[in-house]
Each structure stands twice: as C-alpha cells, then as structure tokens.
Amino acid sequence: MSELSKNIITEQHKGVHKQFDCVYAAALAYMSLKYSRDSLDTVLRTQHKKIIKNEIKQSMRNIGFKPDFLSSELGYYAYEFWEVIVNERFGSNILEENLSQFTDGTLQQMGEYLDEQFRNEGRADSIGFLKTLL
C-alpha cells in the first residue's frame, strides 16, 4: 500500500487500500504520459494499450504497490475513466499544475469516500467513485 493511501484512508482493510492505489497509479500514469516527451495523443492514436498498461504498472511500483493481474486490469479501467473525467472537466490542454491540484483533491475525496463506503457497506468501489465524477 502506498504512503498516500496510509495517510488518507483510516480503514485498515487491504482491499480498500488496493482500490485506492489502483486509481492513484492510473492518475500518475496518465500525468506521466500526458506530460512526457511522447505525447499522450501519439500513444492513443497508435493505440498502444501495452504502453499505457506498462506505465500504470510502473506507477504502481513507484508508489510501493506490487501490481498483479487484477490490480493491473483495475488500474487500466481506472485510467480510462480518469482520462474521460479530465478531458470533460478541463479539455485536452490542461496545465500540469492544474491537473496535479485536481488529482490531489480528487484522491483525497476518493479516500474519504472509500473509507465511508467500507464502514457503511463493507466494500470499497473506486470505479463507482470515478463514475460519480462524470
């Protein structure tokens, strides 16, 4: 589990942290691809799903989360949602600092949402949270 996950989420259930960290890694991968030398548009235009998945896995490792098949798939699914949310809210020309602020605020909200949902329902649904942002 990532340090951010430990700091935001009070529930100690592994699944809650895993849900959070998958979205966290997806958001980091999106920012990395968007602001790297290889433009995100180029990656998407050439449909290199493998490049995106590898970036998500690398982001997972960077935050201290060991990717497995299920978390990688959840991360990719979260990545697709994240891309749509950012583009709907800000368009494709969002400044890196604005995206970073949005990401930080959204992750904080998601952590609180997952905590509350787990306490009330015994489950954590990060994709459900992302759907509320659409």
Side-chain angles (χ1 to χ4, degrees), residues 15-133:
V16 178
H17 291 276
K18 185 175 187 174
Q19 287 279 327
F20 179 89
D21 283 342
C22 286
V23 175
Y24 179 28
L28 292 177
Y30 177 80
M31 289 192 321
S32 176
L33 287 170
K34 183 160 184 68
Y35 298 110
S36 69
R37 275 184 284 164
D38 298 328
S39 131
L40 180 62
D41 293 335
T42 302
V43 171
L44 293 177
R45 196 175 327 113
T46 56
Q47 299 180 5
H48 284 104
K49 186 176 178 180
K50 185 175 181 177
I51 292 171
I52 294 169
K53 282 190 169 190
N54 285 339
E55 189 66 34
I56 292 166
K57 287 178 186 175
Q58 184 59 46
S59 292
M60 286 178 174
R61 288 185 202 95
N62 290 346
I63 65 174
F65 179 70
K66 186 178 177 185
D68 58 22
F69 176 76
L70 290 176
S71 62
S72 295
E73 290 303 311
L74 178 59
Y76 185 75
Y77 195 48
Y79 180 96
E80 290 179 323
F81 270 97
W82 192 255
E83 179 183 26
V84 170
I85 291 164
V86 169
N87 285 329
E88 281 188 0
R89 295 256 173 124
F90 304 103
S92 60
N93 294 323
I94 183 173
L95 298 174
E96 188 171 2
E97 71 180 56
N98 294 343
L99 179 56
S100 183
Q101 289 173 353
F102 173 73
T103 301
D104 292 347
T106 302
L107 290 173
Q108 179 71 38
Q109 290 174 352
M110 184 179 66
E112 293 166 2
Y113 173 89
L114 294 177
D115 259 350
E116 184 177 332
Q117 185 182 42
F118 189 79
R119 273 192 299 278
N120 295 334
E121 302 171 27
R123 67 185 185 94
D125 181 7
S126 58
I127 300 300
F129 171 78
L130 293 177
K131 287 178 180 179
T132 68
L133 300 176

